[in-house]
Each structure stands twice: as C-alpha cells, then as structure tokens.
Amino acid sequence: MSKTRNKIVFRRHAFYHALFHFPMMVVNWFAIGCKIKKTKLKKDENVLILSNHQTDLDPIIMYLSFNRPVYIVATDTLMSNGSTSKFLKHTFSPLPKKKGMSDIQNVLDMMKVAKEGGNIALFPEGNRTYAEFQFPIEEATAKLIRKLKLPVLLYNLKGGNGVMPRFFAERRKGKFSGEVVRRLEVEEYQKMSDAELLNIIKETIRVYDSESGNLYKSNKRAMYLENMLHVCPVCGSVSKLHSDGNFITCLDCGLKVEFTEDLHIKSDNSAFKFTRLIEWYDMQREWTRNYVPQPGKVIFSDKNVRLYEIELYKKRKLISQMDLTLTDKEMIFGNHHFAVNSITVASPIGGRRMSFTCNEKNYLVMSDKRFNPLKYVLMLNKLDSGIKAIGYDKNYEI
C-alpha cells in the first residue's frame, strides 16, 4: 500500500490555495461582502481555528482569512454529491462529519491533519444559528482540543445574521466582518479545566448582531422566514405563516409582523409581545415540548418533497418526489415509510433542506423555497425516536 494512501495534507493544497485565492476573493466581493482581517500563520506552525457559524458561505471566509490552507470540518452532505465532492476532496480536502452525531472517523481525520502539519477549522456549535442564539458546544470539544495539542485561534463572524440570515431571499446591504479575536496557546489551556476552557470558547465566539446597532437594507427582509417559523404566537395555528417582502403574516388570524433593518421584529397587534426572533424560536420549542401527538394522526405535511439517498463521495440518488407526512410513528415520503424509532439523526441543512439517518442509511430532503425542515427536526426530537433514545442531537433536544 502506498505511504500516501491515507494522507490528508498534500503539497497540492497549498498550490490550490494560491490558485483559487483570487476567484474566491471575487466571490466574497460580489456575493458575500465580508470584510476579512487576514491572519498570517508561520510556515512551521499549525493551529486549530474555532468560529461561530452565521452563513452557508462561512467556509469561504475561513479559507480566505489565512495565508495557508485550512482543512475545514464540513457536513457530510456537502461531500455526498458525486464529482463535485471528489473535486472538493482533491483541491481543498474538507473533513466530512456526520450531522448531529458523534463521528470517530472525523476526530481521527483531525488528528491526522494535526500530525501532518495542517491547519484545522471547526464550527464547534455544529450548526448555523437561526436566530442569533448559540447552539450547545459539546463537552467533548475540550477533550478534542487537548488531543490535537494545537494553539487555538478563536474567530468571530459579525453581521452574517444581517447580511445572509438562514432564511434569506437575497443578500442585504450592511456590515459583515471576520477576524481572529483571541489566541490560546497549548500551555495556557492545559492549565484550565474543561469547564473553564469551554466557557472561554463559548463567550468569545458568541455574537449577537441585533445588539450591534447596524442596519441591513433590503426590501425582502422577511422573505422565507417560514423556513424557521411555523407556529403563530397569537392564534396558535400551525404552518399558516406566509412571508412577503419585509413582513410575515398568519393566514388564519391576520397577524402581521415586520422584520426590521436592525434585526428586530415588531407588530401593530398588541397581542404580539416579541422583539427578537430568538423569542419566537423559543416559543416554538416550548410548543413542541408541550405537543401531545394523537396516534396515527398527521402532525406535519408538505407537498412535492424530494428524497435522496446519499453516500460519501457518490452522486445523490433520488428515490422519491412526492408528499411528506409525519405522524407519531412514521415519516412518509409517498411509498417510502421510515419508522420514527429508527431515525437516529435529523438536522436542517442550510435554510430549507434536511438530512436524516435511518437504519444506518443517510438521506437528504429538499423542497421549495418555503419548506420548513426545522419543525420536523424539533418534532422528531420530541417523539419516541431513535434520536431521543440515543441522545445524539443536543442542538434540538426537546
């Protein structure tokens, strides 16, 4: 067997880093608009970069922020798209991780990169924020840091929730930046307890854009908010919210809510009490927690949903394009039935896709621009599912 067969870090990655730098900068200038403060890494040093996660294009920002290649931990759905995934593996070699669960192979890959002198970038929350709140950071992150024995760079993305929120229809005009804000040397964090180290990470990468006072201009600020919102806080109706321009409206009771330029929400309806999206999100979690499913009755349904079976580095296989229905016992795609108690992982991908694992097979769900994957993920964490039994997905634990 070739000595390079199991390597991850190759010289070609430095070549591609230089080759693609300008094209990726053009993407940033015209599609992302992030003001990047670059960090120069010494030739003989390698580091672990930990960052908050605001947009789908954060990996590009991370890649442009350093003068040397960065091996980014990415969801395995990114690497399950045939020739595109093979191209990414050859040029940038992202480190695929299974969404919402422990992944021993991913940890081994990171340790290998560290041993081979590469730089690793990780979004420790494991998920893009929906409403500025911070997803839980696993306690195992501290142990991973100690195993890698690398200096830790803590990175802040600011303004992504304004420029490209998870539900966005078009890029908004406003301030967006990225930079390293703190460095922890190995000797420094080895003296800390796991709790102290995790607390520093959490506090340093936490960002609330709605508190910045910055404004984000767009005539479609609320478009596709129903990717995230599905329960009306006034009348309690479900899946009756519809966005248009800067407003989202309940089709049952007429509640009309504006998403403002300073990333707040407001309504003329005196019964509406929220001022930030995180409050609406928390209300939906509570609604899910208190929901009592009726045996065999439909909880949620959506029309014309595409279901793919995915496998690492292979082309996605379309297995259904029919309606999706969730009951207390099954998730049903046309003629394809998945027992809820056999589903061990479920996570939103981007704003309007969902991945899930059932009987050790991985699937990707896609639909139209108004599809809400979050309501299914929250409910699957509530039901007697394999997710609840195993306890993998802390991000959506109900």
Side-chain angles (χ1 to χ4, degrees):
M1 181 181 290
S2 170
K3 291 182 180 180
T4 63
R5 184 72 177 268
N6 294 317
K7 278 191 67 175
I8 297 177
V9 177
F10 289 93
R11 289 183 180 178
R12 67 172 184 262
H13 296 144
F15 167 76
Y16 287 124
H17 185 271
L19 178 67
F20 288 111
H21 187 270
F22 180 74
M24 290 171 76
M25 282 300 299
V26 172
V27 171
N28 181 45
W29 292 333
F30 291 100
I32 307 175
C34 184
K35 185 178 180 181
I36 299 171
K37 185 176 181 180
K38 294 187 178 180
T39 297
K40 188 172 183 179
L41 300 174
K42 297 177 183 178
K43 186 177 180 180
D44 58 347
E45 75 168 335
N46 54 327
V47 299
L48 171 65
I49 306 147
L50 302 180
S51 174
N52 60 321
H53 196 2
Q54 294 191 329
T55 80
D56 282 342
L57 300 180
D58 291 351
I60 294 178
I61 297 171
M62 201 63 52
Y63 206 75
L64 290 172
S65 295
F66 300 91
N67 62 316
R68 290 174 48 212
V70 175
Y71 297 84
I72 300 172
V73 176
T75 175
D76 59 352
T77 55
L78 176 69
M79 303 302 288
S80 305
N81 199 13
S83 57
T84 300
S85 301
K86 292 177 182 178
F87 169 78
L88 291 173
K89 179 177 173 60
H90 180 77
T91 52
F92 305 113
S93 198
L95 307 176
K97 181 185 184 302
K98 295 177 182 178
K99 196 79 169 177
M101 64 183 293
S102 303
D103 190 337
I104 296 174
Q105 184 58 52
N106 180 252
V107 173
L108 294 175
D109 286 346
M110 282 190 277
M111 293 178 67
K112 189 175 294 184
V113 170
K115 186 177 181 180
E116 294 173 8
N119 304 294
I120 303 163
L122 171 67
F123 302 104
E125 294 169 82
N127 219 321
R128 272 187 71 182
T129 183
Y130 269 98
E132 299 190 289
F133 58 84
Q134 191 174 47
F135 278 123
I137 297 176
E138 294 290 334
E139 293 180 8
T141 301
K143 293 178 174 57
L144 171 66
I145 291 171
R146 298 189 197 284
K147 283 182 179 293
L148 295 176
K149 298 179 182 179
L150 298 177
V152 175
L153 303 186
L154 299 179
Y155 195 98
N156 268 181
L157 290 158
K158 296 180 179 179
N161 291 301
V163 172
M164 288 184 286
R166 195 161 182 170
F167 54 85
F168 83 111
E170 65 178 18
R171 185 187 174 279
R172 295 96 187 277
K173 295 179 181 179
K175 293 182 179 180
F176 186 23
S177 64
E179 64 176 318
V180 174
V181 293
R182 182 166 180 177
R183 178 180 176 121
L184 295 172
E185 300 295 347
V186 177
E187 297 79 8
E188 183 180 0
Y189 65 69
Q190 292 290 23
K191 296 176 183 177
M192 302 176 187
S193 67
D194 285 359
E196 289 172 327
L197 177 55
L198 284 175
N199 187 60
I200 287 174
I201 294 169
K202 291 175 184 177
E203 292 299 321
T204 306
I205 69 170
R206 179 182 285 127
V207 171
Y208 292 110
D209 288 333
S210 63
E211 297 177 355
S212 69
N214 295 328
L215 302 181
Y216 295 88
K217 309 280 187 178
S218 171
N219 291 322
K220 298 180 179 179
R221 294 192 301 272
M223 283 301 293
Y224 308 129
L225 253 174
E226 59 266 53
N227 290 160
M228 164 189 165
L229 304 175
H230 61 282
V231 181
C232 176
V234 172
C235 72
S237 61
V238 179
S239 301
K240 294 293 184 179
L241 297 170
H242 183 84
S243 63
D244 186 27
N246 297 327
F247 296 88
I248 186 166
T249 303
C250 175
L251 299 179
D252 274 0
C253 71
L255 171 70
K256 189 174 184 178
V257 179
E258 180 183 3
F259 187 55
T260 62
E261 291 181 345
D262 61 355
L263 309 184
H264 286 72
I265 49 178
K266 67 178 184 179
S267 174
D268 293 335
N269 190 322
S270 60
F272 184 79
K273 305 298 184 182
F274 303 148
T275 60
R276 295 198 302 162
L277 286 176
I278 188 173
E279 297 168 276
W280 200 331
Y281 179 89
D282 286 342
M283 181 277 291
Q284 292 187 153
R285 285 174 62 92
E286 188 65 22
W287 178 90
T288 306
R289 191 175 290 116
N290 295 328
Y291 182 84
V292 180
Q294 301 300 309
K297 298 292 185 181
V298 174
I299 301 173
F300 300 130
S301 65
D302 281 273
K303 295 184 179 300
N304 194 30
V305 175
R306 302 185 300 281
L307 175 67
Y308 297 85
E309 185 176 340
I310 59 174
E311 193 172 345
L312 206 58
Y313 305 123
K314 293 186 178 181
K315 187 176 180 179
R316 297 168 184 165
K317 179 183 177 183
L318 179 64
I319 61 175
S320 174
Q321 187 167 354
M322 301 184 76
D323 295 350
L324 163 60
T325 300
L326 176 67
T327 71
D328 63 318
K329 298 298 182 185
E330 291 184 305
M331 190 156 63
I332 305 166
F333 300 82
N335 297 322
H336 297 270
H337 293 240
F338 298 87
V340 164
N341 61 12
S342 296
I343 296 173
T344 51
V345 180
S347 291
I349 304 293
R352 55 185 68 104
R353 296 179 295 163
M354 177 176 71
S355 66
F356 72 94
T357 300
C358 184
N359 295 324
E360 299 185 355
K361 289 186 177 181
N362 300 315
Y363 300 90
L364 180 66
V365 180
M366 302 175 68
S367 189
D368 64 24
K369 292 181 178 180
R370 298 185 187 272
F371 177 64
N372 184 325
L374 179 63
K375 64 185 180 184
Y376 289 96
V377 172
L378 289 174
M379 188 57 68
L380 285 168
N381 276 268
K382 151 79 176 184
L383 300 174
D384 291 328
S385 66
I387 302 171
K388 187 175 180 180
I390 296 174
Y392 272 143
D393 203 342
K394 303 298 183 185
N395 285 347
Y396 301 99
E397 196 173 66
I398 296 296

